[in-house]
C-alpha cells in the first residue's frame, strides 16, 4: 500500500523510531543499498528552497533514483489544470512526488488523487521533514536520554512550531512552546500532539513567557518571524521582540544548551548574530541531517509492501 508523508502522524511512533535508527546507520555509512533504483521522483515546489530541495535531490541520487524538478510556471497547473488531474497524470509516470506549496489542503488533494507516495516538503501549516530530521539530530546528540531532554521552541507559532507539537507527541518528548499572544500555534496540531502524548508519554506546555520556556532547557529552537507567503507586519515584529534568542534570554537555559534553527535565519530578528555564530556548528549539523533523515524516510516510504 502506498504511504504518504503529509503530516508527522502519517507514521506511527514505532515507525518513527525505526526511521531515526536507520538515519543514524545511513549517516555512519552502514547502509548503502540503492533503494530507489529505477525510480523517478518529482519535486514540485511553489516556494523557494535551499536545504529541502538540494538534500532531497542528493538523497534520491545517492539511493540510486532520479529526481525531476518541476517548475510551477512550466506545468499546466499554472494555467488552471486541476490538482486531481495533475496528480492522476503524474502517477502514471513517476513513483513519488515531493511537494512544497502554500495551502495544506492542496497537498492533501495531491495525496488523495495520487497512486504514489506524496511527501510534504513544507506548507503554510506544516513542515514534517524538517521536524523528523531535527528529532534525528537530537537523537544523535542525546541518544537514549532524548525523552528526558527539555526542548523549548521560542518565537512565531508557525508551520515549524505546529509540527514540533506533533513531533514531540510522536516521539514522547518534553516540549515547551513560548509564543506571543495572537501568534500561537494551531490548536488542531496542538490537539494532535496531545493525543499522541497520551500514548507516548510526551508533554506539551504552551506559554507566552519565553523565560519560563527556556529555563533549564537543553535545547532552544527558533524560526523566522515572517514565513514564506506571509506579509511583514510591524505589529507582529514588535510582539515577537521579547522572544529573540539573545544572550540574556539563553542565560536561563542550561550552560550546555543546544541552539537550533531550521534556516534560513534572519539574524538580528529571531536570533542575535552572536548567538547564531556561537551555535553555528550545531545548526549546520542540523541542516546536514536533512539529507540523512530524508534518505531514511525515502527508504521507509519506498520499501513498503
Ligand atoms: N529549512 C528548510 O526547509 O530550508 P529551505 O527553505 O532552504 O528548504
Ligand atoms: N517557517 C518558515 C520555514 C522555512 C523553512 C517558512 O515557512 O518560511
Amino acid at each position: 500500500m502506498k504511504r504518504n508523508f503529509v503530516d508527522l502522524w502519517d507514521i506511527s511512533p514505532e515507525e518513527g523510531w525505526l526511521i531515526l535508527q536507520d538515519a543514524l546507520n545511513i549517516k555512519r555509512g552502514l547502509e548503502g543499498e540503492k533503494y530507489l533504483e529505477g525510480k523517478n521522483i518529482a519535486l514540485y515546489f511553489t516556494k523557494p528552497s535551499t536545504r529541502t530541495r538540494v538534500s532531497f535531490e542528493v538523497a534520491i541520487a545517492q539511493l540510486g533514483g532520479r529526481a525531476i524538478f518541476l517548475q510551477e510556471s512550466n506545468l499546466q497547473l499554472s494555467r488552471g489544470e486541476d490538482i486531481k488531474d495533475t496528480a492522476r497524470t503524474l502517477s502514471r509516470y513517476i513513483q513519488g512526488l515531493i511537494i512544497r506549496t502554500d495551502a495544506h489542503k492542496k497537498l492533501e488533494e495531491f495525496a488523495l488523487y495520487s497512486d504514489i507516495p506524496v511527501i510534504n516538503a513544507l506548507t503554510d501549516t506544516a513542515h514534517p521533514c524538517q521536524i523528523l530530521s531535527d528529532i534525528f539530530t537530537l537523537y544523535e546528540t542525546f541518544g537514549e536520554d532524548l525523552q528526558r531532554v527539555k526542548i523549548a521552541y521560542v518565537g512565531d507559532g508557525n508551520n515549524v512550531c505546529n509540527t514540533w507539537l506533533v513531533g514531540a507527541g510522536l516521539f514522547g518528548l518534553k516540549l515547551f512552546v513560548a509564543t506571543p499572544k495572537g501568534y500561537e500555534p494551531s490548536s488542531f496540531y496542538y490537539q494532535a500532539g496531545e493525543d499522541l502524548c497520551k500514548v507516548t508519554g510526551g508533554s506539551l506546555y504552551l506559554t507566552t513567557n519565553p523565560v519560563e520556556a527556556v529555563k533549564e532547557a537543553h535545547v532552544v529552537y527558533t524560526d523566522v518571524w515572517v514565513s514564506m507567503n506571509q506579509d511583514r507586519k510591524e505589529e507582529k515584529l514588535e510582539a515577537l521582540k521579547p522572544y529573540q534568542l539573545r544572550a540574556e534570554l539563553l542565560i536561563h537555559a542550561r550552560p550546555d544548551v543546544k541552539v537550533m534553527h531550521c534556516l534560513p535565519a534572519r539574524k538580528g530578528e529571531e536570533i542575535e548574530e552572536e548567538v547564531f555564530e556561537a551555535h553555528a556548528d550545531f545548526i549546520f549539523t542540523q541542516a546536514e541531517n536533512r539529507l540523512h533523515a530524508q534518505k531514511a524516510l525515502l527508504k521507509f516510504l519506498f520499501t513498503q509492501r
Side-chain angles (χ1 to χ4, degrees):
M1 202 185 76
K2 77 136 177 170
R3 294 286 298 268
N4 296 314
F5 190 67
V6 170
D7 277 295
L8 272 180
W9 56 72
D10 288 336
I11 57 172
S12 67
E14 295 70 30
E15 291 169 340
W17 288 106
L18 203 73
I19 293 170
L20 298 191
Q21 188 53 53
D22 252 352
L24 202 56
N25 291 339
I26 288 168
K27 185 167 182 179
R28 289 176 177 165
L30 304 173
E31 271 255 22
E33 237 183 282
K34 306 279 187 218
Y35 294 101
L36 299 184
E37 195 91 72
K39 294 200 173 10
N40 291 293
I41 297 179
L43 290 94
Y44 165 58
F45 283 33
T46 68
K47 287 173 172 174
S49 170
T50 300
R51 282 143 287 270
T52 310
R53 176 181 174 180
V54 178
S55 59
F56 261 120
E57 290 203 16
V58 171
I60 292 164
Q62 290 181 350
L63 291 174
R66 197 167 80 95
I68 304 170
F69 190 78
L70 303 173
Q71 208 79 49
E72 185 183 24
S73 56
N74 293 342
L75 290 182
Q76 296 290 5
L77 260 177
S78 68
R79 295 182 55 249
E81 184 170 11
D82 290 343
I83 286 178
K84 62 180 176 183
D85 293 354
T86 307
R88 288 183 288 184
T89 304
L90 291 176
S91 297
R92 303 286 178 112
Y93 305 138
I94 59 174
Q95 286 71 47
L97 185 54
I98 301 171
I99 301 177
R100 168 170 287 197
T101 192
D102 43 22
H104 200 69
K105 63 177 187 324
K106 288 187 189 168
L107 187 67
E108 288 173 334
E109 198 176 342
F110 264 109
L112 185 65
Y113 288 99
S114 298
D115 297 329
I116 54 176
V118 171
I119 299 175
N120 181 355
L122 179 148
T123 64
D124 289 350
T125 315
H127 197 2
C129 293
Q130 179 73 52
I131 305 309
L132 180 67
S133 170
D134 294 341
I135 294 175
F136 166 59
T137 299
L138 296 181
Y139 177 59
E140 182 187 35
T141 307
F142 295 101
E144 300 302 312
D145 288 334
L146 180 56
Q147 293 178 325
R148 281 189 283 276
V149 163
K150 176 176 176 181
I151 305 164
Y153 177 96
V154 179
D156 186 27
N158 60 15
N159 45 6
V160 167
C161 182
N162 288 341
T163 315
W164 254 115
L165 294 167
V166 185
L170 192 73
F171 290 96
L173 310 183
K174 212 159 49 164
L175 178 71
F176 288 64
V177 172
T179 54
K181 210 169 170 309
Y183 301 98
E184 296 89 354
S186 132
S187 54
F188 181 75
Y189 279 76
Y190 173 76
Q191 196 50 54
E194 276 285 289
D195 291 347
L196 282 162
C197 281
K198 289 190 191 107
V199 180
T200 61
S203 62
L204 308 178
Y205 183 80
L206 304 187
T207 177
T208 53
N209 184 344
V211 174
E212 188 186 9
V214 161
K215 204 170 166 51
E216 291 300 316
H218 299 77
V219 179
V220 177
Y221 193 113
T222 195
D223 182 20
V224 288
W225 290 348
V226 184
S227 284
M228 293 181 276
N229 205 28
Q230 287 182 349
D231 296 327
R232 259 185 101 69
K233 292 205 179 99
E234 274 317 308
E235 190 190 334
K236 181 179 184 186
L237 300 181
E238 204 49 49
L240 276 156
K241 270 196 182 143
Y243 299 79
Q244 185 192 54
L245 295 198
R246 57 191 189 286
E248 304 93 88
L249 178 61
L250 289 175
I251 203 102
H252 300 282
R254 287 170 56 95
D256 57 353
V257 66
K258 303 284 184 202
V259 171
M260 298 182 84
H261 195 308
C262 58
L263 302 176
R266 191 153 170 138
K267 294 161 205 168
E269 216 158 90
E270 75 278 2
I271 189 164
E272 263 183 351
E273 178 137 23
E274 299 70 35
V275 169
F276 183 93
E277 290 305 331
H279 295 273
D281 189 51
F282 197 70
I283 292 171
F284 290 105
T285 296
Q286 179 189 356
E288 174 193 333
N289 283 343
R290 298 290 305 277
L291 174 65
H292 311 300
Q294 285 160 196
K295 280 169 85 172
L297 174 68
L298 289 167
K299 173 189 166 188
F300 171 76
L301 293 175
F302 288 94
T303 53
Q304 293 293 318
R305 306 231 161 260

